[in-house]
Amino acid sequence: MTTVRSTLPDKERRIAGDALQDTLVDLLGLSLIGKQAHWNVVGPRFRSIHLQLDEVVSAAREYADTVAERAAALGVPPDGRPETVAASFGLPGTGEGRLRDTEVVQLMVASLEMAVGRLRERIDATEKADPVTQDLLIGITRELEKQRWMFDAENWPRDE
């Protein structure tokens, strides 16, 4: 079996590898949620939300590739197989069929918020183990927080 040698000691490589794998699953799942909602959104804000979902999907897919390549560079084989994503994905998902624009906004706010929370835990975990991986996770968090904010702004004015 051929392996890529890591520049990190084993313990730190495991910590970074776990953080990267979990992030890969979240990002791949988020891209699938976004596409499913993109294809099925209906309502008065269809066009703007339809286009906004494409932004999330593009960002998630681009970052998934970067995360997988970082893992590979550390000697950790990334696993983005459908069965792996399905078995370990933990973000809120879409329902079947058409989705009202208001439902999509709520779904994306909740999914992005949960993804950001999970990323922040991984940022903490990788602080000492691998600052390079931590930096990557910080950048992803920044983008997902921006996307969450943009969807959350769709909820204004709130009926509170």
Side-chain angles (χ1 to χ4, degrees), residues 30-113:
L30 192 57
S31 74
L32 293 171
I33 290 169
K35 264 309 177 190
Q36 184 67 22
H38 171 87
W39 296 322
N40 288 291
V41 64
V42 294
R45 296 179 292 167
F46 163 81
R47 181 160 173 76
S48 64
I49 292 172
H50 184 78
L51 295 173
Q52 192 174 348
L53 287 163
D54 269 342
E55 290 178 26
V56 172
V57 170
S58 292
R61 287 179 177 171
E62 184 177 327
Y63 279 121
D65 190 52
T66 303
V67 164
E69 289 176 353
R70 175 70 186 151
L74 294 177
V76 177
D79 189 352
R81 296 173 300 151
E83 59 270 24
T84 300
V85 175
S88 56
F89 185 67
L91 300 179
T94 66
E96 193 175 320
R98 300 285 180 210
L99 300 165
R100 293 282 312 167
D101 52 2
T102 53
E103 291 176 279
V104 171
V105 168
Q106 291 171 342
L107 169 69
M108 294 310 297
V109 168
S111 295
L112 288 161
E113 192 168 307

Side-chain angles (χ1 to χ4, degrees), residues 1-4 13 17 21 24 67-68 70-80:
M1 176 163 105
T2 305
T3 60
V4 174
R13 182 181 54 79
Q21 179 60 40
L24 178 61
V67 164
R70 175 70 186 151
L74 294 177
V76 177
D79 189 352

